[in-house]
């Protein structure tokens, strides 16, 4: 390679490096601008969400199969109680609605009512017990806590593109006999994951809000209380849900069973309170969802053509020739 070729090679390499550097800088700037725009939109929504507003309308939506299955999983696949003993049941298919506020904010709301199912301790290790129906006559049938029914609400704001961010939501739960609209919350967070009202009723939900709900957090990152208009929003969705279930439009109850055929989902442990207590580890079983509302899968077997055996040399029927032109 002569000096000219070497110079051209170095010059080409330098130009390529400069071009790559400029592209990289443009991409970084583009990502930074997109992140700033996202943060600005989140802050705008956070301000709008925290502003007092009244419910303008609630329109029930029919979710597609993918969204419905996801919501069912969100509601009952991972019980909040002891996961080695309890699963959950919801009284029907999830109720989904578009909620419009008078300040322009729109939410996608999903609601159901939940009950705990306490299974016999040996049911996880005994597959035969798992084959029983939920209300079967088996001696080891589960205990259904129907006197502890809770409303469960998931709420997502619709962003500028009219879509939801699946990670931008709040999860709220309250007892069926609680008057959610007239709740008066104490400021401050209790030892559990949620808020206690003045009357001592537990209003469950996330402890730290993110995204569009981050301005609901207190100074230390813990939510102090829901704004008053949120209670009215929760009550309005509950009213629409109650009307839907009174119309018998939610279908049959959906529930989860422990699934001993699948590997353990994870490992949990107890939290010691007294110095004499020790942390105890336990295995969390996998569960399967039983949804009687899904249509039966009918498998059509392919029809195999049957061949008739012809015996060689057997007499055959003579066909009569007919002249159709006469």
């Amino acid at each position: 390679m002569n000096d000219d070729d070497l110079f051209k090679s170095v010059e080409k390499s330098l130009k390529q490096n400069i071009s790559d550097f400029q592209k990289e800088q443009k991409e970084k700037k583009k990502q930074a601008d997109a992140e700033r725009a996202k943060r600005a939109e989140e802050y705008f929504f956070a301000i709008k969400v925290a502003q007092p507003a009244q419910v303008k309308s609630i329109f029930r939506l029919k979710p597609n199969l993918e969204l419905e299955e996801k919501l069912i999983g969100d509601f009952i696949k991972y019980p909040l109680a002891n996961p080695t003993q309890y699963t959950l049941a919801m009284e029907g298919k999830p109720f989904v609605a578009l909620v419009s506020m008078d300040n322009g904010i729109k939410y996608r709301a999903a609601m159901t009512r939940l009950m705990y199912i306490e299974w016999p301790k040996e049911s996880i290790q005994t597959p035969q017990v798992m084959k029983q129906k939920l209300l079967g006559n088996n001696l080891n049938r589960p205990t259904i806590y129907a006197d502890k029914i809770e409303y469960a609400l998931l709420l997502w704001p619709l962003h500028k593109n009219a879509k939801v961010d699946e990670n931008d939501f709040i999860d709220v739960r309250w007892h069926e006999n609680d008057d959610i609209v007239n709740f008066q919350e104490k400021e401050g967070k209790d030892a559990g994951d949620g808020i206690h009202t003045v009357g001592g009723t537990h209003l469950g939900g996330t402890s730290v809000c993110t995204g569009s709900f981050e301005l609901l957090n207190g100074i230390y990152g813990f939510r102090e209380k829901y704004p008053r208009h949120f209670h009215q929003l929760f009550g309005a969705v509950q009213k629409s849900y109650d009307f839907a279930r009174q119309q018998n439009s939610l279908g049959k109850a959906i529930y989860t069973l422990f699934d001993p055929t699948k590997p353990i989902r994870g490992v949990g442990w107890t939290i010691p309170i007294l110095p004499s207590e020790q942390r105890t580890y336990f295995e969390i079983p996998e569960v399967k969802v039983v949804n009687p509302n899904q249509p039966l899968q009918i498998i059509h077997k392919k029809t195999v053509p049957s061949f008739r055996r012809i015996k060689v040399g057997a007499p055959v029927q003579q066909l009569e020739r007919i002249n159709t032109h006469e």
Side-chain angles (χ1 to χ4, degrees):
M1 179 182 293
N2 55 37
D3 293 342
D4 290 341
D5 292 339
L6 180 60
F7 177 78
K8 290 179 181 179
S9 176
V10 172
E11 184 181 29
K12 182 179 180 181
S13 178
L14 287 173
K15 287 182 178 179
Q16 183 64 43
N17 289 338
I18 292 173
S19 176
D20 292 343
F21 176 76
Q22 290 176 341
K23 288 181 179 178
E24 183 179 354
Q25 291 301 109
K26 287 181 179 179
E27 185 63 28
K28 287 183 178 179
K29 184 178 183 302
K30 183 180 178 180
Q31 292 177 355
D33 291 343
E35 184 64 26
R36 280 194 293 269
K38 181 181 178 182
R39 289 298 301 159
E41 182 189 1
E42 287 179 348
Y43 187 71
F44 166 78
F45 268 86
I47 293 175
K48 294 283 286 184
V49 165
Q51 287 178 348
Q54 301 295 321
V55 175
K56 185 178 178 180
S57 64
I58 297 180
F59 180 76
R60 186 176 181 182
L61 302 174
K62 184 178 181 180
N64 57 38
L65 183 60
E66 181 180 359
L67 176 59
E68 184 173 293
E69 290 181 349
K70 180 184 181 304
L71 292 175
I72 291 172
D74 290 341
F75 279 128
I76 65 173
K77 197 169 182 181
Y78 304 108
L80 300 178
N82 184 349
T84 67
Q85 192 173 354
Y86 293 90
T87 67
L88 291 173
M90 49 192 292
E91 67 178 344
K93 294 183 292 184
F95 173 85
V96 183
L98 176 66
V99 184
S100 299
M101 310 296 290
D102 61 5
N103 65 348
I105 289 289
K106 293 183 179 180
Y107 297 100
R108 184 184 76 185
M111 177 173 276
T112 189
R113 294 204 310 173
L114 300 176
M115 293 178 286
Y116 283 102
I117 307 174
E118 183 180 6
W119 295 89
K121 292 183 179 180
E122 68 275 9
S123 62
I124 303 174
Q125 290 79 22
T126 311
Q128 296 92 299
V129 180
M130 302 312 303
K131 295 179 182 179
Q132 64 182 324
K133 294 186 179 297
L134 184 63
L135 299 175
N137 294 322
N138 195 296
L139 295 177
N140 292 322
R141 62 185 179 184
T143 302
I144 304 172
Y145 290 94
D147 56 339
K148 296 182 179 180
I149 298 177
E150 287 185 333
Y151 284 96
L153 170 66
L154 299 173
L155 200 67
W156 298 261
L158 268 66
H159 290 268
K160 287 183 178 180
N161 57 3
K163 295 182 179 179
V164 300
D165 180 352
E166 294 295 341
N167 297 317
D168 184 10
F169 72 101
I170 54 175
D171 177 353
V172 192
R173 305 187 184 199
W174 62 91
H175 192 273
E176 64 167 344
N177 294 327
D178 293 335
D179 183 2
I180 186 65
V181 177
N182 296 314
F183 264 172
Q184 295 182 11
E185 300 175 9
K186 292 179 180 178
E187 290 190 2
K189 181 175 176 293
D190 71 327
D193 184 13
I195 297 174
H196 271 285
T197 60
V198 173
T201 305
H202 185 76
L203 177 60
T206 54
S207 59
V208 179
C209 297
T210 59
S212 301
F213 301 97
E214 66 178 348
L215 290 188
L216 304 182
N217 295 336
I219 190 171
Y220 298 110
F222 296 104
R223 190 185 65 238
E224 294 180 349
K225 60 180 180 179
Y226 283 115
R228 174 52 51 191
H229 69 280
F230 267 61
H231 291 261
Q232 297 168 352
L233 168 60
F234 300 158
V237 179
Q238 176 184 324
K239 185 176 180 180
S240 296
Y241 174 84
D242 288 339
F243 178 78
R245 68 186 184 88
Q246 288 167 7
Q247 299 297 314
N248 297 321
S249 62
L250 298 177
K252 299 178 181 179
I254 304 170
Y255 56 94
T256 47
L257 302 172
F258 295 124
D259 193 345
T261 65
K262 293 182 180 178
I264 298 299
R265 187 172 75 235
V267 177
W269 56 84
T270 59
I271 301 176
I273 299 177
L274 301 177
S276 59
E277 295 179 343
Q278 293 183 348
R279 177 176 293 183
T280 304
Y281 293 88
F282 52 83
E283 293 181 335
I284 303 174
E286 185 58 80
V287 298
K288 61 180 178 180
V289 176
V290 180
N291 186 355
N293 301 290
Q294 291 181 342
L296 295 175
Q297 292 184 349
I298 302 176
I299 301 175
H300 296 277
K301 293 183 178 180
K302 291 184 178 180
T303 56
V304 180
S306 58
F307 298 97
R308 295 181 62 187
R309 292 182 178 273
I310 300 178
K311 189 175 180 180
V312 179
V316 296
Q317 182 180 1
Q318 296 292 331
L319 297 179
E320 181 181 4
R321 186 181 296 273
I322 302 176
N323 189 350
T324 58
H325 296 281
E326 293 180 350

